[in-house]
Amino acid sequence: MQPQSSRFRAVLTGATAFTLAAALAACGSTDGGSKGDSAKAGAGKGAAAATGSSAASAASSAPGSSAPGSSAPGSSAPGSPAAGSTSAPAAPVPAAGSGKVLMPTGPQAAFGKARDTAAGQIMMTTLAGPKSGVSGKVWVWLPPEYNDPKYAKTGFPVLTLYAGGQSAGYNTWTDNQLPIQEVDADLAKQGKAHPFIMIMPVQNLDSNEAKALECADIPGQPKIGTWMAEDIPDFVRANFRTVKGRDGWGLMGASTGAFCSAKLALQHPDKFKAAVPIDGYFNPDSPLWKGYETDRQANSPDLLVAQGKADVRMLATAGGANAYEMKLVKAWAAKAAPPLTVEYYEQPGGKHLTTDFKKMIPDTLQWLTKNLAGPQSD
């Protein structure tokens, strides 16, 4: 079991910090209430070396610092113009290659509007997964470019964001604490980040942490792992123009969401190319694993990272103000076996707070842009 296994709630107030992993760490409400990030108390934050088959990243260098070239009620549909999309930014340079656009395969889901942002609308639907049998909420944001006629035949990269805490019925990447949509739209205009389709699913079906599903198919429980790894990507391809293959598919999450992003990328390297686990833990410890130790180990990023089976790129972050978290994350990154590459980044003075996660958003988006294919046109 995880040392210091009790989960703690992230306080959503705090000082400024580097802009690296914030957006994906959506770990809680500003008052530390029921949507607080219940990350493991032991999520370590450590300084320095990248492991796996890539060289270590110094803690002082911010990743991404060099810019790379069921149905909810509502009226919003996947093809409807997003707010703020009337004037198109300069066209991003498509990644090399042709014949890599996958047009929507259908059927189209029914979307309702969750809320408006300065960078366009966030939509929501309920996905009944045909492969998993799980039904849960999924939020979607389309970059302004998506609905611009200039990009009518362009496929876009997909970034799935996992929240901190239990994330049952909510996903904190959808609220204004983690304005990743606005940041991405701004960076895309500057040519510093891809305009990503952002997918933000729930991670649990019950707010009780004793029933945490840990993004896995725990025996006797709802198959949330299949829902996340199979049904959600199928849903995205059915509704939106995407890049064929795995090269344009990334995962990011903070705290509990970091565990999910690391685990799913390691288990499904055929589906995902890169992942950013922000201030995470890596040893599954849900009470639901009791009596299923073999299955628990098969879903443990702490073991999967050393198996040398996943050709995936990762950026693992830790907050420099949390010695335990630094030690934990750094030790996990050091286990990475090629072809997996894990870069380690330590946020100077960073705490396990949504406010610090927020500061890391620009750098994490730029890192993902450097490691994932961008928009492509046939």
Side-chain angles (χ1 to χ4, degrees), residues 42-102:
K45 306 190 175 196
T51 58
S53 57
S54 67
S57 297
S60 59
S61 64
S65 56
S66 59
S70 218
S71 36
S75 57
S76 182
S80 62
S85 64
T86 51
S87 61
V93 178
S98 60
K100 294 188 177 181
V101 177
L102 180 64

Side-chain angles (χ1 to χ4, degrees), residues 7-50:
R7 301 171 184 240
F8 63 85
R9 300 199 174 278
V11 180
L12 301 185
T13 58
T16 58
F18 271 48
T19 57
L20 169 64
L24 291 165
C27 285
S29 61
T30 51
D31 60 0
S34 60
K35 293 187 182 180
D37 186 10
S38 25
K40 306 295 174 175
K45 306 190 175 196

Side-chain angles (χ1 to χ4, degrees), residues 40-378:
K40 306 295 174 175
K45 306 190 175 196
T51 58
S53 57
S54 67
S57 297
S60 59
S61 64
S65 56
S66 59
S70 218
S71 36
S75 57
S76 182
S80 62
S85 64
T86 51
S87 61
V93 178
S98 60
K100 294 188 177 181
V101 177
L102 180 64
M103 301 301 285
T105 59
Q108 182 173 302
F111 289 85
K113 182 175 78 170
R115 76 179 188 94
D116 289 315
T117 75
Q121 191 177 100
I122 294 178
M123 304 177 292
M124 191 274 285
T125 191
T126 297
L127 172 61
K131 294 180 178 178
S132 65
V134 168
S135 181
K137 293 180 180 179
V138 180
W139 290 262
V140 176
W141 176 77
L142 301 176
E145 293 86 348
Y146 188 91
N147 290 300
D148 189 314
K150 295 178 182 178
Y151 300 87
K153 295 184 179 180
T154 297
F156 288 79
V158 178
L159 176 60
T160 301
L161 301 170
Y162 302 121
Q166 193 70 355
S167 187
Y170 68 91
N171 184 306
T172 44
W173 291 107
T174 67
D175 66 33
N176 59 11
Q177 295 181 81
L178 294 167
I180 190 169
Q181 297 83 12
E182 291 94 329
V183 174
D184 185 54
D186 184 59
L187 290 175
K189 289 179 181 179
Q190 300 176 48
K192 294 181 179 180
H194 297 324
F196 289 102
I197 293 173
M198 295 186 183
I199 308 299
M200 297 154 282
V202 298
Q203 289 143 233
N204 285 286
L205 307 177
D206 193 307
S207 60
N208 183 353
E209 289 183 358
K211 297 181 179 180
L213 298 173
E214 294 194 305
C215 302
D217 289 355
I218 301 176
Q221 302 300 321
K223 295 184 177 181
I224 199 79
T226 297
W227 189 72
M228 291 179 159
E230 300 285 346
D231 290 328
I232 289 179
D234 287 349
F235 154 80
V236 175
R237 286 187 288 265
N239 285 276
F240 308 108
R241 303 188 304 277
T242 57
V243 178
K244 286 184 181 178
R246 67 160 192 152
D247 287 355
W249 289 73
L251 307 171
M252 184 162 74
S255 191
T256 307
F259 173 93
C260 293
S261 62
K263 185 189 87 75
L264 291 169
L266 290 169
Q267 287 182 319
H268 304 281
D270 57 324
K271 295 180 173 65
F272 308 109
K273 178 67 174 293
V276 180
I278 299 167
D279 294 17
Y281 73 100
F282 307 101
N283 192 6
D285 64 0
S286 170
L288 298 176
W289 290 113
K290 184 177 181 180
Y292 302 104
E293 180 61 17
T294 299
D295 297 278
R296 190 193 71 83
Q297 291 183 15
N299 285 275
S300 173
D302 199 45
L303 299 177
L304 294 168
V305 70
Q307 292 180 354
K309 296 179 180 180
D311 182 10
V312 173
R313 302 169 187 174
M314 288 197 191
L315 173 65
T317 81
N322 187 322
Y324 182 87
E325 185 172 285
M326 290 189 296
K327 181 179 179 181
L328 186 151
V329 178
K330 189 185 294 186
W332 180 78
K335 298 178 183 179
L340 170 68
T341 65
V342 177
E343 297 176 51
Y344 171 79
Y345 174 75
E346 182 179 305
Q347 184 185 24
K351 298 180 180 180
H352 204 90
L353 304 173
T354 299
T355 48
D356 281 354
F357 299 151
K358 176 181 177 180
K359 297 163 191 174
M360 292 192 286
I361 291 174
D363 288 331
T364 50
L365 287 173
Q366 291 178 77
W367 184 91
L368 285 160
T369 296
K370 293 195 318 186
N371 288 279
L372 292 172
Q376 301 194 30
S377 299
D378 288 341

